[in-house]
Amino acid sequence: MRSWPTPFIPKVPGRAPEVRVRDTASGELVPAARGEVVTLYVCGITPYDATHMGHAATYVTFDLLGRVLRDSGHPVRYVQNITDIDDPLLERAERDGLDWRDLATREIALFREDMTALAVIPPDEYLGAVESIPTFVGPIEKLVADGWAYAVPAPDASREGAHDVYFDVSRDPRFGSVSHLDEAGMMEVFAERGGDPDREGKRNRLDALLWRAHREGEPEWDGAGLGSGRPGWHIECACIALDHLGIPVDVQGGGTDLVFPHHEMSSAHGRALSGSSSFAGSFVHQGMVGLDGEKMSKSKGNLVLVSRLRRDGVDPMAIRLALLARHHAHDWMWTHDQLLEAQQRLETWREALSGNGGPVADQTVDDIRAALADDLDSPRALEAVDRWASQALSRGGDDPGAPGVLGRALDALLGIRI
Ligand SMILES: Nc1ncnc2c1ncn2[C@@H]1O[C@H](COS(=O)(=O)NC(=O)[C@@H](N)CS)[C@@H](O)[C@H]1O
Ligand SMILES: [Zn+2]
Protein backbone atom coordinates (compact mmCIF):
# COMPACT_ATOMS: atom_id res chain seq x y z
CA MET A 1 0.00 0.00 0.00
CA ARG A 2 1.28 3.48 -0.91
CA SER A 3 2.28 5.54 2.15
CA TRP A 4 2.90 9.31 1.92
CA PRO A 5 5.80 11.69 1.07
CA THR A 6 8.83 11.75 3.37
CA PRO A 7 9.46 15.21 4.87
CA PHE A 8 12.96 16.64 4.49
CA ILE A 9 15.00 15.98 7.66
CA PRO A 10 17.82 18.54 8.07
CA LYS A 11 21.16 17.48 9.52
CA VAL A 12 21.91 18.87 12.96
CA PRO A 13 25.48 18.89 14.31
CA GLY A 14 26.02 16.48 17.23
CA ARG A 15 23.69 13.65 18.23
CA ALA A 16 21.07 12.71 20.81
CA PRO A 17 21.97 10.41 23.69
CA GLU A 18 20.67 6.79 23.60
CA VAL A 19 16.87 6.93 23.77
CA ARG A 20 15.21 5.20 26.72
CA VAL A 21 11.49 4.43 26.78
CA ARG A 22 9.08 3.15 29.41
CA ASP A 23 8.33 -0.46 28.50
CA THR A 24 4.74 -1.47 29.39
CA ALA A 25 5.69 -5.14 29.75
CA SER A 26 8.53 -4.67 32.27
CA GLY A 27 7.50 -1.27 33.65
CA GLU A 28 11.18 -0.32 33.26
CA LEU A 29 12.87 2.55 31.42
CA VAL A 30 14.80 0.61 28.75
CA PRO A 31 16.93 1.52 25.69
CA ALA A 32 14.71 1.59 22.60
CA ALA A 33 17.65 0.43 20.43
CA ARG A 34 19.08 -3.06 20.96
CA GLY A 35 21.40 -3.03 17.96
CA GLU A 36 22.50 -0.60 15.27
CA VAL A 37 19.28 -0.65 13.20
CA VAL A 38 16.09 -0.21 15.22
CA THR A 39 12.97 -2.10 14.11
CA LEU A 40 9.74 -0.28 14.94
CA TYR A 41 6.25 -1.74 14.46
CA VAL A 42 3.42 0.72 15.10
CA CYS A 43 -0.17 -0.41 14.68
CA GLY A 44 -1.96 1.55 11.98
CA ILE A 45 -5.53 2.81 11.76
CA THR A 46 -8.72 0.94 11.13
CA PRO A 47 -9.72 3.28 8.32
CA TYR A 48 -12.77 5.21 9.41
CA ASP A 49 -13.13 8.47 11.37
CA ALA A 50 -9.53 9.25 10.43
CA THR A 51 -7.58 11.19 11.62
CA HIS A 52 -8.86 12.17 15.05
CA MET A 53 -6.64 13.73 17.70
CA GLY A 54 -6.13 10.38 19.40
CA HIS A 55 -4.78 8.87 16.20
CA ALA A 56 -2.67 11.98 15.58
CA ALA A 57 -1.20 11.91 19.10
CA THR A 58 -0.17 8.29 18.62
CA TYR A 59 1.50 8.75 15.23
CA VAL A 60 3.25 11.96 16.24
CA THR A 61 4.59 10.21 19.35
CA PHE A 62 6.12 7.39 17.32
CA ASP A 63 7.34 9.88 14.74
CA LEU A 64 9.19 11.61 17.58
CA LEU A 65 10.72 8.25 18.59
CA GLY A 66 11.87 7.64 15.01
CA ARG A 67 13.34 11.13 14.74
CA VAL A 68 15.34 11.03 17.97
CA LEU A 69 16.53 7.46 17.25
CA ARG A 70 17.88 8.59 13.86
CA ASP A 71 19.43 11.65 15.51
CA SER A 72 21.16 9.34 18.02
CA GLY A 73 22.79 7.46 15.13
CA HIS A 74 20.37 4.54 14.68
CA PRO A 75 18.82 3.87 11.26
CA VAL A 76 15.15 2.94 11.79
CA ARG A 77 13.13 0.29 9.94
CA TYR A 78 9.54 1.33 10.45
CA VAL A 79 6.54 -0.85 9.50
CA GLN A 80 2.88 0.06 9.95
CA ASN A 81 -0.27 -1.87 8.98
CA ILE A 82 -3.77 -0.75 8.05
CA THR A 83 -6.62 -2.81 9.40
CA ASP A 84 -8.63 -2.39 6.21
CA ILE A 85 -10.76 -5.42 6.95
CA ASP A 86 -12.37 -5.98 10.36
CA ASP A 87 -15.81 -6.04 11.97
CA PRO A 88 -15.83 -2.33 13.05
CA LEU A 89 -15.07 -1.24 9.45
CA LEU A 90 -17.81 -3.47 8.01
CA GLU A 91 -20.27 -2.18 10.64
CA ARG A 92 -19.47 1.49 9.89
CA ALA A 93 -19.78 0.91 6.13
CA GLU A 94 -23.12 -0.78 6.75
CA ARG A 95 -24.30 2.12 8.95
CA ASP A 96 -23.32 4.70 6.31
CA GLY A 97 -24.60 2.66 3.37
CA LEU A 98 -21.15 2.55 1.82
CA ASP A 99 -19.13 -0.23 0.23
CA TRP A 100 -16.51 -1.03 2.92
CA ARG A 101 -13.73 -0.84 0.33
CA ASP A 102 -14.73 2.70 -0.68
CA LEU A 103 -14.88 3.77 2.96
CA ALA A 104 -11.39 2.38 3.57
CA THR A 105 -9.97 4.00 0.44
CA ARG A 106 -11.44 7.40 1.32
CA GLU A 107 -10.25 7.31 4.92
CA ILE A 108 -6.75 6.07 4.08
CA ALA A 109 -6.38 8.95 1.61
CA LEU A 110 -7.42 11.41 4.33
CA PHE A 111 -4.99 9.80 6.80
CA ARG A 112 -2.12 10.17 4.29
CA GLU A 113 -2.95 13.87 3.83
CA ASP A 114 -3.11 14.46 7.58
CA MET A 115 0.16 12.62 8.25
CA THR A 116 1.84 14.64 5.50
CA ALA A 117 0.51 17.91 6.94
CA LEU A 118 1.72 16.94 10.42
CA ALA A 119 5.22 16.18 9.01
CA VAL A 120 5.04 12.55 10.14
CA ILE A 121 7.75 10.45 8.49
CA PRO A 122 6.05 7.56 6.65
CA PRO A 123 6.80 3.92 7.51
CA ASP A 124 9.30 2.14 5.26
CA GLU A 125 6.56 -0.41 4.63
CA TYR A 126 2.84 0.36 4.83
CA LEU A 127 0.81 -2.87 4.63
CA GLY A 128 -2.93 -3.25 4.26
CA ALA A 129 -4.41 -6.34 5.96
CA VAL A 130 -6.38 -7.15 2.79
CA GLU A 131 -3.31 -7.21 0.54
CA SER A 132 -1.51 -9.32 3.17
CA ILE A 133 -4.21 -11.96 3.77
CA PRO A 134 -2.43 -14.60 1.63
CA THR A 135 0.53 -14.29 4.03
CA PHE A 136 -1.64 -15.01 7.08
CA VAL A 137 -3.06 -18.36 5.90
CA GLY A 138 0.13 -20.44 6.22
CA PRO A 139 0.97 -19.17 9.71
CA ILE A 140 -2.57 -19.86 10.95
CA GLU A 141 -2.40 -23.40 9.54
CA LYS A 142 0.98 -23.79 11.29
CA LEU A 143 -0.52 -22.67 14.62
CA VAL A 144 -3.19 -25.37 14.21
CA ALA A 145 -0.63 -28.02 13.21
CA ASP A 146 1.56 -27.10 16.22
CA GLY A 147 -1.38 -27.35 18.62
CA TRP A 148 -1.58 -23.62 19.44
CA ALA A 149 -4.90 -23.23 17.65
CA TYR A 150 -8.04 -25.25 17.06
CA ALA A 151 -11.20 -25.34 14.96
CA VAL A 152 -14.65 -24.41 16.27
CA PRO A 153 -17.69 -25.44 14.21
CA ALA A 154 -19.43 -22.43 12.61
CA PRO A 155 -23.06 -23.52 12.12
CA ASP A 156 -24.01 -20.03 10.81
CA ALA A 157 -21.30 -20.11 8.15
CA SER A 158 -22.37 -19.95 4.52
CA ARG A 159 -20.88 -23.38 3.85
CA GLU A 160 -21.94 -26.61 5.53
CA GLY A 161 -19.36 -27.97 8.00
CA ALA A 162 -17.20 -24.81 7.99
CA HIS A 163 -15.08 -23.91 11.03
CA ASP A 164 -13.67 -20.81 12.66
CA VAL A 165 -10.13 -21.06 14.09
CA TYR A 166 -9.15 -19.85 17.56
CA PHE A 167 -5.83 -19.41 19.38
CA ASP A 168 -5.68 -21.35 22.67
CA VAL A 169 -4.36 -18.85 25.21
CA SER A 170 -3.95 -21.55 27.86
CA ARG A 171 -1.10 -22.98 25.73
CA ASP A 172 0.96 -19.79 26.20
CA PRO A 173 2.86 -19.72 29.51
CA ARG A 174 3.67 -16.04 28.94
CA PHE A 175 0.09 -14.96 28.27
CA GLY A 176 -0.49 -11.80 30.35
CA SER A 177 3.17 -10.72 30.22
CA VAL A 178 2.33 -7.54 28.30
CA SER A 179 -0.77 -6.28 30.12
CA HIS A 180 -0.23 -7.93 33.54
CA LEU A 181 -4.01 -8.13 33.82
CA ASP A 182 -5.58 -11.00 35.69
CA GLU A 183 -8.38 -12.98 34.07
CA ALA A 184 -11.06 -10.67 35.51
CA GLY A 185 -9.26 -7.60 34.21
CA MET A 186 -8.93 -9.18 30.79
CA MET A 187 -12.57 -10.18 30.72
CA GLU A 188 -13.56 -6.59 31.53
CA VAL A 189 -12.27 -5.19 28.24
CA PHE A 190 -12.13 -8.25 25.98
CA ALA A 191 -15.66 -8.03 24.63
CA GLU A 192 -15.71 -4.25 24.09
CA ARG A 193 -12.45 -4.48 22.13
CA GLY A 194 -13.45 -7.07 19.59
CA GLY A 195 -13.36 -10.27 21.69
CA ASP A 196 -16.15 -12.90 21.79
CA PRO A 197 -15.95 -14.46 25.29
CA ASP A 198 -19.33 -16.16 25.02
CA ARG A 199 -18.72 -17.92 21.72
CA GLU A 200 -19.94 -21.56 21.84
CA GLY A 201 -17.20 -24.18 21.51
CA LYS A 202 -14.17 -22.15 22.60
CA ARG A 203 -11.81 -23.89 25.07
CA ASN A 204 -11.18 -20.63 27.00
CA ARG A 205 -13.39 -17.53 26.98
CA LEU A 206 -10.34 -15.38 26.15
CA ASP A 207 -9.28 -17.42 23.12
CA ALA A 208 -8.79 -15.12 20.12
CA LEU A 209 -10.19 -15.53 16.60
CA LEU A 210 -7.54 -16.29 13.99
CA TRP A 211 -9.76 -17.11 11.02
CA ARG A 212 -13.53 -16.56 10.50
CA ALA A 213 -15.31 -18.82 8.06
CA HIS A 214 -17.37 -16.99 5.46
CA ARG A 215 -20.80 -15.72 6.58
CA GLU A 216 -23.47 -14.61 4.12
CA GLY A 217 -22.92 -10.99 3.11
CA GLU A 218 -19.34 -10.80 4.41
CA PRO A 219 -16.26 -10.48 2.20
CA GLU A 220 -14.26 -13.70 1.85
CA TRP A 221 -10.78 -14.78 0.79
CA ASP A 222 -9.23 -18.13 -0.04
CA GLY A 223 -8.04 -19.69 3.20
CA ALA A 224 -6.60 -22.89 1.62
CA GLY A 225 -6.98 -25.62 4.29
CA LEU A 226 -8.82 -23.12 6.55
CA GLY A 227 -11.60 -22.77 4.01
CA SER A 228 -12.93 -19.50 2.61
CA GLY A 229 -13.25 -16.62 5.09
CA ARG A 230 -11.24 -13.78 6.59
CA PRO A 231 -8.52 -13.30 9.23
CA GLY A 232 -8.92 -12.15 12.83
CA TRP A 233 -7.41 -8.83 13.96
CA HIS A 234 -4.41 -9.75 16.15
CA ILE A 235 -2.85 -12.31 13.80
CA GLU A 236 -2.58 -9.55 11.18
CA CYS A 237 -0.05 -7.56 13.21
CA ALA A 238 1.84 -10.65 14.38
CA CYS A 239 2.31 -11.86 10.77
CA ILE A 240 3.17 -8.44 9.30
CA ALA A 241 5.72 -7.76 12.05
CA LEU A 242 7.21 -11.25 11.62
CA ASP A 243 7.37 -11.05 7.83
CA HIS A 244 8.65 -7.48 7.48
CA LEU A 245 10.79 -6.95 10.58
CA GLY A 246 11.34 -10.29 12.28
CA ILE A 247 10.38 -11.10 15.89
CA PRO A 248 11.38 -9.74 18.36
CA VAL A 249 10.93 -6.20 17.03
CA ASP A 250 12.78 -3.54 19.04
CA VAL A 251 9.66 -1.47 19.72
CA GLN A 252 5.96 -2.28 19.37
CA GLY A 253 3.93 0.95 19.50
CA GLY A 254 0.30 1.89 19.89
CA GLY A 255 -2.22 3.51 22.20
CA THR A 256 -2.93 2.15 25.68
CA ASP A 257 -6.26 0.79 24.44
CA LEU A 258 -4.22 -1.77 22.46
CA VAL A 259 -2.36 -3.21 25.46
CA PHE A 260 -5.14 -5.77 25.95
CA PRO A 261 -6.26 -7.71 24.04
CA HIS A 262 -4.44 -6.58 20.90
CA HIS A 263 -0.75 -6.41 21.90
CA GLU A 264 -1.12 -9.26 24.39
CA MET A 265 -2.59 -11.46 21.65
CA SER A 266 -0.32 -10.38 18.80
CA SER A 267 2.60 -11.01 21.16
CA ALA A 268 1.28 -14.51 21.98
CA HIS A 269 0.70 -15.28 18.29
CA GLY A 270 4.05 -13.84 17.25
CA ARG A 271 6.00 -15.78 19.91
CA ALA A 272 4.19 -19.00 18.98
CA LEU A 273 5.00 -18.49 15.27
CA SER A 274 8.61 -17.39 15.72
CA GLY A 275 9.61 -19.50 18.74
CA SER A 276 11.05 -16.31 20.20
CA SER A 277 10.63 -15.81 23.96
CA SER A 278 9.70 -12.17 23.40
CA PHE A 279 7.69 -10.28 20.79
CA ALA A 280 9.31 -6.89 21.37
CA GLY A 281 12.26 -5.39 23.21
CA SER A 282 9.77 -2.82 24.52
CA PHE A 283 6.08 -2.02 24.22
CA VAL A 284 5.48 1.75 24.17
CA HIS A 285 1.95 3.08 24.62
CA GLN A 286 0.36 6.46 23.96
CA GLY A 287 -2.10 7.64 26.63
CA MET A 288 -5.70 8.22 25.61
CA VAL A 289 -6.73 11.62 24.25
CA GLY A 290 -10.22 12.58 25.30
CA LEU A 291 -12.77 15.27 24.71
CA ASP A 292 -15.26 16.64 27.26
CA GLY A 293 -14.35 13.99 29.81
CA GLU A 294 -14.46 10.94 27.60
CA LYS A 295 -11.89 9.07 25.49
CA MET A 296 -12.06 10.35 21.91
CA SER A 297 -13.35 7.34 20.04
CA LYS A 298 -15.25 6.33 16.99
CA SER A 299 -17.91 4.53 18.93
CA LYS A 300 -18.62 7.70 20.97
CA GLY A 301 -18.37 9.94 17.92
CA ASN A 302 -16.78 12.74 20.03
CA LEU A 303 -14.06 13.36 17.52
CA VAL A 304 -11.87 16.33 16.67
CA LEU A 305 -10.47 15.66 13.22
CA VAL A 306 -7.13 16.96 11.95
CA SER A 307 -8.64 17.48 8.49
CA ARG A 308 -11.46 19.64 9.84
CA LEU A 309 -9.04 21.88 11.73
CA ARG A 310 -6.87 22.12 8.62
CA ARG A 311 -9.89 23.00 6.52
CA ASP A 312 -10.69 25.78 9.04
CA GLY A 313 -7.24 27.19 8.33
CA VAL A 314 -5.44 25.93 11.43
CA ASP A 315 -1.68 25.62 10.83
CA PRO A 316 -0.84 21.89 11.08
CA MET A 317 2.38 22.89 12.87
CA ALA A 318 0.20 24.36 15.64
CA ILE A 319 -1.72 21.08 15.85
CA ARG A 320 1.57 19.17 16.11
CA LEU A 321 2.82 21.59 18.76
CA ALA A 322 -0.39 21.13 20.77
CA LEU A 323 0.17 17.36 20.70
CA LEU A 324 3.85 17.68 21.68
CA ALA A 325 2.90 19.83 24.66
CA ARG A 326 1.52 16.73 26.42
CA HIS A 327 3.61 13.76 27.59
CA HIS A 328 2.76 10.70 25.50
CA ALA A 329 2.44 8.40 28.52
CA HIS A 330 -0.46 10.31 30.08
CA ASP A 331 -4.14 10.39 29.20
CA TRP A 332 -5.29 13.95 28.52
CA MET A 333 -8.27 15.98 27.34
CA TRP A 334 -8.14 17.96 24.09
CA THR A 335 -9.39 21.53 24.53
CA HIS A 336 -9.59 24.40 22.08
CA ASP A 337 -7.51 26.47 24.52
CA GLN A 338 -4.60 24.11 24.04
CA LEU A 339 -4.73 24.80 20.33
CA LEU A 340 -4.76 28.56 21.00
CA GLU A 341 -1.76 28.17 23.34
CA ALA A 342 0.09 26.18 20.68
CA GLN A 343 -0.66 28.86 18.05
CA GLN A 344 0.65 31.50 20.42
CA ARG A 345 3.80 29.47 21.16
CA LEU A 346 4.41 28.96 17.44
CA GLU A 347 4.04 32.72 16.82
CA THR A 348 6.51 33.51 19.61
CA TRP A 349 9.03 30.96 18.28
CA ARG A 350 8.66 32.30 14.73
CA GLU A 351 9.24 35.86 15.88
CA ALA A 352 12.27 34.90 17.99
CA LEU A 353 13.79 32.91 15.14
CA SER A 354 13.14 35.56 12.51
CA GLY A 355 15.93 37.82 13.82
CA ASN A 356 19.35 37.70 12.19
CA GLY A 357 20.92 36.44 15.35
CA GLY A 358 20.10 35.25 18.82
CA PRO A 359 21.51 33.74 22.00
CA VAL A 360 23.83 30.79 21.39
CA ALA A 361 21.48 27.83 20.80
CA ASP A 362 23.82 24.87 21.39
CA GLN A 363 22.65 24.30 24.95
CA THR A 364 19.02 24.50 23.84
CA VAL A 365 19.62 21.82 21.20
CA ASP A 366 21.29 19.63 23.84
CA ASP A 367 18.32 20.18 26.16
CA ILE A 368 15.85 19.16 23.42
CA ARG A 369 17.88 16.00 22.74
CA ALA A 370 18.18 15.10 26.40
CA ALA A 371 14.43 15.56 26.98
CA LEU A 372 13.41 13.43 23.98
CA ALA A 373 15.94 10.72 24.89
CA ASP A 374 14.28 10.52 28.30
CA ASP A 375 11.10 8.63 27.39
CA LEU A 376 10.16 11.20 24.73
CA ASP A 377 9.62 14.03 27.21
CA SER A 378 8.41 16.50 24.58
CA PRO A 379 6.89 19.00 27.07
CA ARG A 380 10.37 19.46 28.57
CA ALA A 381 11.86 19.86 25.08
CA LEU A 382 9.36 22.62 24.24
CA GLU A 383 10.14 24.44 27.48
CA ALA A 384 13.83 24.57 26.48
CA VAL A 385 12.84 26.30 23.25
CA ASP A 386 10.54 28.69 25.16
CA ARG A 387 13.51 29.76 27.28
CA TRP A 388 15.65 30.47 24.22
CA ALA A 389 12.81 32.38 22.51
CA SER A 390 12.04 34.60 25.51
CA GLN A 391 15.77 35.39 25.90
CA ALA A 392 16.05 36.16 22.17
CA LEU A 393 13.02 38.45 22.31
CA SER A 394 13.97 40.23 25.54
CA ARG A 395 17.74 40.53 25.23
CA GLY A 396 18.53 39.62 21.64
CA GLY A 397 21.74 37.78 21.03
CA ASP A 398 24.90 38.07 19.01
CA ASP A 399 25.19 34.58 17.52
CA PRO A 400 24.22 35.03 13.84
CA GLY A 401 24.03 31.27 13.35
CA ALA A 402 21.74 30.55 16.31
CA PRO A 403 18.37 30.87 14.56
CA GLY A 404 19.53 28.52 11.79
CA VAL A 405 20.88 25.89 14.17
CA LEU A 406 17.78 25.94 16.34
CA GLY A 407 15.39 26.08 13.38
CA ARG A 408 16.99 22.94 11.92
CA ALA A 409 16.85 21.17 15.30
CA LEU A 410 13.14 22.00 15.69
CA ASP A 411 12.51 20.53 12.24
CA ALA A 412 14.68 17.42 12.53
CA LEU A 413 13.87 16.51 16.14
CA LEU A 414 10.37 17.82 16.76
CA GLY A 415 9.05 17.92 13.22
CA ILE A 416 8.17 21.58 13.73
CA ARG A 417 8.90 23.61 10.63
CA ILE A 418 9.05 27.30 11.50
N1 LIG B 1 -8.44 8.50 21.91
C1 LIG B 1 -7.25 8.01 21.57
N2 LIG B 1 -6.13 8.51 22.15
C2 LIG B 1 -4.90 8.05 21.82
N3 LIG B 1 -4.69 7.08 20.89
C3 LIG B 1 -5.79 6.55 20.30
C4 LIG B 1 -7.10 6.97 20.59
N4 LIG B 1 -7.97 6.25 19.82
C5 LIG B 1 -7.22 5.42 19.07
N5 LIG B 1 -5.91 5.59 19.36
C6 LIG B 1 -4.76 4.88 18.78
O1 LIG B 1 -4.71 5.14 17.39
C7 LIG B 1 -4.22 3.98 16.71
C8 LIG B 1 -5.22 3.58 15.63
O2 LIG B 1 -6.43 3.24 16.27
S1 LIG B 1 -7.52 2.55 15.39
O3 LIG B 1 -7.81 3.36 14.27
O4 LIG B 1 -8.59 2.22 16.28
N6 LIG B 1 -6.87 1.19 14.82
C9 LIG B 1 -6.41 0.18 15.61
O5 LIG B 1 -6.35 0.28 16.83
C10 LIG B 1 -5.91 -1.07 14.89
N7 LIG B 1 -5.99 -0.90 13.44
C11 LIG B 1 -4.50 -1.39 15.31
S2 LIG B 1 -3.81 -2.76 14.43
C12 LIG B 1 -4.04 2.89 17.76
O6 LIG B 1 -2.69 2.82 18.19
C13 LIG B 1 -4.93 3.38 18.90
O7 LIG B 1 -4.46 2.93 20.17
ZN1 LIG C 1 -2.02 -3.88 15.46
Side-chain angles (χ1 to χ4, degrees), residues 41-44 81 83 233-234 236-238 252-253 258 262-263 266:
Y41 185 83
V42 178
C43 288
N81 69 306
T83 306
W233 171 24
H234 316 303
E236 152 190 341
C237 287
Q252 157 78 68
L258 295 188
H262 187 51
H263 288 165
S266 53

Side-chain angles (χ1 to χ4, degrees), residues 25 167 169 172 174-181 186 234 252 258-271 279 283 285:
F167 184 86
V169 297
D172 176 12
R174 302 205 57 225
F175 188 67
S177 57
V178 177
S179 62
H180 299 292
L181 291 175
M186 292 178 179
H234 316 303
Q252 157 78 68
L258 295 188
V259 172
F260 191 87
H262 187 51
H263 288 165
E264 192 75 69
M265 293 294 183
S266 53
S267 166
H269 301 351
R271 285 185 280 103
F279 180 85
F283 292 82
H285 289 103

